[in-house]
Amino acid sequence: MNNPGSGGRLEPANWLWLAGGGSIAAALLHLACMFGGPGWYRWIGAGDDIARAVERGQVRPYLLTIGIAAILFGWAWFAFAAARLMPRPPLLRTGLVAIILVLLLRAAALFVPELWAPETGATFKIVSSLIVLALGLSFLLGTIRAWPILSVRT
């Protein structure tokens, strides 16, 4: 919550709630692709290779999707634990720094054309990178503001 003396700035927990909520939303969106089929995989930006594998009934896309969702749910755990809403995972500070680096590097990938499949459209590249940047900044701001209390075990 905002304190009266905070000048309207978001407190660390609020940034971390945004980070955790965004991670859960992204995880659920990925899982929804499993039920939405190849069109959903294409829409989320997985590419034609993955969508065609779904069309052929291969298991690999589903395993990848579950893996990505599990990682995103794990990131939510770290965010909510840093906000003291969930039990503390091991290496909380280290994990948060790693999550921030992954997200900010993924956002910066917008500027590295070699990383993108040729069929990936500009709209997807820009929109997904902005979403990942917003998520990364939420983790970053929450972590910076909560850093002093993150070493305290409760």
Side-chain angles (χ1 to χ4, degrees):
M1 309 294 164
N2 286 342
N3 291 335
S6 69
R9 294 175 299 174
L10 288 176
E11 294 300 316
N14 293 7
W15 288 112
L16 294 165
W17 291 342
L18 286 171
S23 296
I24 289 173
L28 293 174
L29 179 60
H30 280 80
L31 291 175
C33 289
M34 293 173 52
F35 302 99
W40 282 55
Y41 277 94
R42 284 185 181 93
W43 179 78
I44 202 170
D48 282 331
D49 289 342
I50 296 291
R52 282 193 295 272
V54 170
E55 289 168 343
R56 290 190 299 271
Q58 294 179 341
V59 175
R60 182 176 165 264
Y62 298 106
L63 295 176
L64 289 170
T65 302
I66 291 168
I68 291 168
I71 290 168
L72 290 164
F73 282 127
W75 290 359
W77 177 24
F78 273 75
F80 292 141
R84 298 187 174 192
L85 297 172
M86 292 186 74
R88 181 187 177 93
L91 301 171
L92 178 60
R93 283 177 152 190
T94 304
L96 288 167
V97 170
I99 292 165
I100 291 163
L101 288 173
V102 167
L103 288 168
L104 295 182
L105 285 172
R106 165 52 185 85
L110 172 65
F111 303 105
V112 185
E114 298 82 23
L115 295 177
W116 298 93
E119 72 268 9
T120 305
T123 301
F124 174 80
K125 291 178 197 176
I126 293 168
V127 170
S128 65
S129 294
L130 289 173
I131 291 168
V132 171
L133 177 62
L135 189 57
L137 290 175
S138 295
F139 269 101
L140 176 65
L141 293 170
T143 300
I144 288 171
R145 303 214 41 212
W147 193 260
I149 63 168
L150 292 179
S151 63
V152 177
R153 303 238 191 269
T154 56

